[in-house]
């Protein structure tokens, strides 16, 4: 007899989905969450009358798992505002443009198209879910995106635009991330356009009540006492068909455990006996990037009157990309700005007041002086969150993808793994988190059935 059938570690979207799925299969579950709230990398706030998503925000076509879950718990979606011209502040020059490709001069555009096509061609050769089986996997993994760009003689402009993609997707610079990992990430999302586009891509919509509300409603539906907040799991003792999960409140026994935390946080749990060496290496090497967000809330989306979409990119920093995240009824104007990679490393340690001035002047450089005076402002530095890593997802360096990917999901005895990084489609996204939770629950149910 055990206290419950299954313990889930982590009440992010992945752990909560796993728990929901297990309950639906008739298994008893307890979820331990280290922090004082559910949601993990999804978190929302009310700022001057607007709901803003401080972590995971956008969803798009093909992200069926998170969309189905949000529909089930009654959280609505609306399109990301995209009408109007985008802006690019590049080499001190501010220009308007439409679509995904900014006006960076014909030679740069040709070079960007060449490099992009080459990256997409390579990515199509990567078997989704099995990057280690790609042709020349070890060679691709030995390179970073940055060293590959250099080997391709990418222009400075191409490199800098790829750096924008890198900072937004993984919170890191091209020189830091395994090329094989990038190629697999692009492959599993179905290409660069699905990853980046507003219309038809991963940035197409966001949630009316905020993404955090999805997690809150899933957690509530699990029933009182199922989710234990403020309960970091510090140690897991395991044998063939039993685990004992230790928190400050004492031990809980179960037949299986699903660990639904980012790979780097697996190493904060002491496993007894120890995990195999390959699993330990994964948690040492699959660190997250670093990506912070600011929101400035105005009485109206004033940039729309000037024919602007609110979407922009800039090479000046600290804000390097913005989106219009205003509510559907435009009762407030909301600009979302990202600070990531080297900008985050430079600006995250800066005190609140100075950082706010610098962030708002970044917005003013793009949208005019009115941006300096918002009704409300909020700043989320993910690198400072103790239990959440620092970026949207893992940003593993060279030599870590081919050799360690398999350990993301490979169970160890009664220990199963979830979390967005373990997904084979839309990894790094909320959709991947939900899909991974469902997959881990299925795995546990099968293991229980054959027991
Ligand atoms: C700035 C930013 C922007 C993003 N933008 C988007 C976006 O637009 N669209 C999108 O789809 N995705 C986006 N994402 C990514 C998305 O938020 C994540 O992929 C998803 O929320 C991850 O969910 P998860 O459950 O896998 O992990 P997490 O949310 O990290 O959940 C893991 C949970 O485990 C807990 N935990 C860790 N260790 C322990 C322990 N030892 N014991 C108990 N609990 C523990 C943590 O506190 C956390 O609550 C973004 C993320 C960030 C940070």
């Amino acid at each position: 007899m055990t206290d419950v059938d299954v313990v889930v570690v982590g009440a992010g979207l992945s752990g909560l989905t796993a728990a929901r799925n297990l309950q639906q299969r008739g298994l008893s579950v307890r979820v331990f969450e280290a922090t004082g709230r559910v949601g993990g990398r999804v978190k929302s706030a009310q700022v001057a009358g607007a709901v803003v998503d401080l972590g995971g925000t956008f969803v798009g076509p093909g992200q069926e798992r998170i969309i189905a879950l949000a529909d089930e718990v009654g959280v609505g979606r609306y399109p990301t505002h995209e009408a109007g011209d985008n802006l690019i502040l590049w080499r001190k020059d501010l220009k308007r443009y439409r679509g995904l490709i900014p006006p960076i001069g014909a030679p740069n555009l040709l070079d960007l198209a060449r490099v992009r096509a080459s990256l997409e061609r390579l990515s199509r050769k990567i078997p989704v879910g099995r990057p280690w089986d790609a042709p020349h996997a070890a060679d691709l993994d030995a390179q970073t995106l940055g060293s590959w760009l250099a080997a391709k003689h990418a222009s400075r402009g191409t490199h800098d635009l790829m750096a924008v993609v890198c900072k937004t997707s993984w919170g890191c610079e091209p020189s830091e991330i395994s090329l094989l990992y990038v190629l697999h990430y692009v492959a599993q999302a179905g290409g660069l356009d699905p990853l980046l586009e507003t219309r038809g891509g991963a940035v197409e919509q966001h949630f009316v009540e905020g993404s955090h509300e999805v997690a809150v409603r899933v957690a509530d539906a699990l029933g009182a006492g199922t989710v234990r907040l403020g309960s970091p799991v510090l140690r897991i003792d395991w044998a063939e068909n039993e685990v004992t999960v230790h928190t400050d409140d004492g031990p809980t026994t179960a037949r299986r455990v699903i660990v639904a935390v980012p790979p780097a946080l697996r190493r904060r749990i002491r496993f007894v006996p120890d995990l195999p060496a390959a699993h330990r290496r994964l948690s040492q090497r699959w660190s997250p990037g670093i990506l912070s967000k600011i929101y400035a809330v105005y009485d109206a989306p004033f940039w729309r009157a000037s024919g602007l979409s609110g979407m922009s990119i800039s090479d000046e920093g600290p804000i390097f990309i913005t989106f219009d995240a205003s509510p559907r009824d435009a009762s407030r104007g909301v600009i979302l700005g990202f600070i990531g990679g080297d900008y985050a490393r430079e600006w995250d340690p800066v005190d609140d007041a100075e950082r706010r001035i610098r962030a708002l002047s970044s917005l003013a450089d793009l949208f005019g002086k009115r941006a300096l005076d918002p009704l409300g402002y909020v700043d989320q530095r993910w690198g400072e969150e103790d239990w959440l890593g620092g970026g949207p997802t893992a940003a593993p360096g060279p030599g870590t993808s081919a050799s360690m990917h398999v350990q993301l999901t490979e169970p160890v005895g009664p220990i199963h793994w979830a979390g967005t990084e373990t997904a084979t489609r839309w990894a790094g996204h909320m959709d991947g988190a939900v899909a991974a939770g469902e997959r881990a629950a299925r795995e546990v149910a099968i293991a229980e059935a054959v027991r």
Side-chain angles (χ1 to χ4, degrees):
M1 288 298 287
T2 54
D3 296 327
V4 285
D5 294 328
V6 186
V7 163
V8 174
V9 184
L13 282 171
S14 203
L16 292 171
T17 304
R20 176 183 177 85
N21 205 287
L22 290 166
Q23 274 190 351
Q24 287 167 346
R25 293 169 187 269
L27 294 165
S28 62
V29 187
R30 190 167 300 162
V31 182
F32 289 114
E33 166 54 44
T35 68
R37 62 173 185 88
V38 300
R41 282 171 273 178
V42 297
K43 180 179 179 186
S44 303
Q46 280 271 353
V47 185
V51 178
V52 298
D53 286 318
L54 301 171
T57 306
F58 300 108
V59 290
Q63 299 192 342
E64 288 135 19
R65 304 321 310 147
I66 179 69
I67 288 172
L69 183 66
D71 286 351
E72 275 172 42
V73 297
V75 175
R77 287 169 281 127
Y78 68 104
T80 306
H81 179 82
E82 58 151 7
D85 292 338
N86 302 331
L87 287 175
I88 179 165
L89 179 55
W90 208 246
R91 316 318 191 215
K92 307 278 176 214
D93 198 12
L94 183 64
K95 286 189 181 147
R96 290 173 172 241
Y97 69 102
R98 291 274 165 121
L100 196 59
I101 307 297
I104 49 170
N108 269 324
L109 282 180
L110 280 174
D111 189 64
L112 180 65
R114 171 184 72 86
V115 170
R116 210 191 132 137
S118 180
L119 190 83
E120 300 232 47
R121 236 184 350 263
L122 268 181
S123 84
R124 284 195 289 273
K125 294 188 183 146
I126 314 296
V128 169
R130 292 179 296 109
W132 61 87
D133 276 345
H136 314 293
D139 287 349
L140 296 172
D141 199 21
Q143 301 172 60
T144 63
L145 176 61
S147 65
W148 179 80
L149 287 169
K152 286 263 147 203
H153 304 290
S155 70
R156 192 74 230 160
T158 297
H159 176 278
D160 292 353
L161 280 172
M162 292 305 289
V164 169
V165 174
C166 217
K167 287 194 239 292
T168 318
S169 302
W170 307 291
C172 68
E173 302 297 328
S175 59
E176 295 174 293
I177 194 161
S178 155
L179 174 63
L180 181 63
Y181 176 82
V182 168
L183 295 172
H184 180 256
Y185 198 92
V186 172
Q188 54 99 39
L192 275 171
D193 278 348
L195 263 183
L196 305 174
E197 279 280 12
T198 310
R199 179 160 305 170
V203 190
E204 189 175 272
Q205 302 172 343
H206 36 159
F207 293 111
V208 178
E209 296 93 343
S211 52
H212 190 233
E213 188 60 20
V214 180
V216 169
R217 291 191 191 179
V218 173
D220 286 350
L222 291 174
T226 304
V227 181
R228 308 287 168 93
L229 298 177
S231 303
V233 169
L234 307 169
R235 169 176 167 157
I236 298 177
D237 299 336
W238 59 279
E240 198 185 332
N241 273 314
E242 185 167 333
V243 293
T244 306
V245 176
H246 298 268
T247 68
D248 284 339
D249 290 334
T252 302
T253 56
R255 285 199 299 280
R256 301 197 163 260
V257 61
I258 294 176
V259 179
V261 309
L265 286 173
R266 292 180 186 179
R267 71 170 179 267
R268 288 192 53 182
I269 303 170
R270 185 168 164 226
F271 292 89
V272 182
D274 218 340
L275 294 177
H279 281 79
R280 294 203 304 273
R281 269 198 302 277
L282 168 81
S283 66
Q284 285 155 3
R285 300 284 305 276
W286 273 54
S287 308
I290 170 164
L291 186 65
S292 300
K293 269 182 161 184
I294 65 102
Y295 282 90
V297 179
Y298 305 90
D299 58 355
F302 61 86
W303 50 92
R304 293 185 191 174
S306 321
L308 294 174
S309 66
M311 198 271 158
S312 72
I313 47 181
S314 163
D315 65 356
E316 300 216 336
I319 290 178
F320 68 95
I321 189 164
T322 67
F323 293 91
D324 182 329
S326 308
R328 182 165 38 185
D329 62 4
S331 54
R332 289 282 183 262
V334 181
I335 287 283
L336 153 62
F338 283 98
I339 302 175
D342 280 349
Y343 290 134
R345 272 187 278 264
E346 182 184 348
W347 284 94
D348 278 10
V350 169
D351 73 67
D352 290 353
E354 191 188 342
R355 186 168 144 110
R356 178 185 157 125
I357 291 169
R358 192 65 183 86
L360 290 177
S361 52
S362 275
L363 297 187
D365 291 344
L366 294 157
F367 301 109
K369 284 213 166 70
R370 201 166 156 192
L372 290 171
D373 194 21
L375 293 177
Y377 175 89
V378 67
D379 187 343
Q380 171 71 29
R381 302 173 211 210
W382 283 97
E384 292 179 1
E385 298 273 337
D386 195 17
W387 291 96
L388 292 163
T393 189
T400 59
S401 188
S403 57
M404 294 172 202
H405 196 103
V406 75
Q407 279 78 35
L408 282 172
T409 51
E410 186 180 68
V412 178
I415 306 166
H416 300 258
W417 311 102
T420 190
E421 287 83 358
T422 72
T424 47
R425 181 119 171 86
W426 294 112
H429 292 73
M430 295 182 280
D431 190 70
V434 172
E438 291 171 342
R439 188 262 311 140
R442 227 170 16 247
E443 224 173 71
V444 164
I446 292 169
E448 284 292 288
V450 297
R451 207 169 61 88

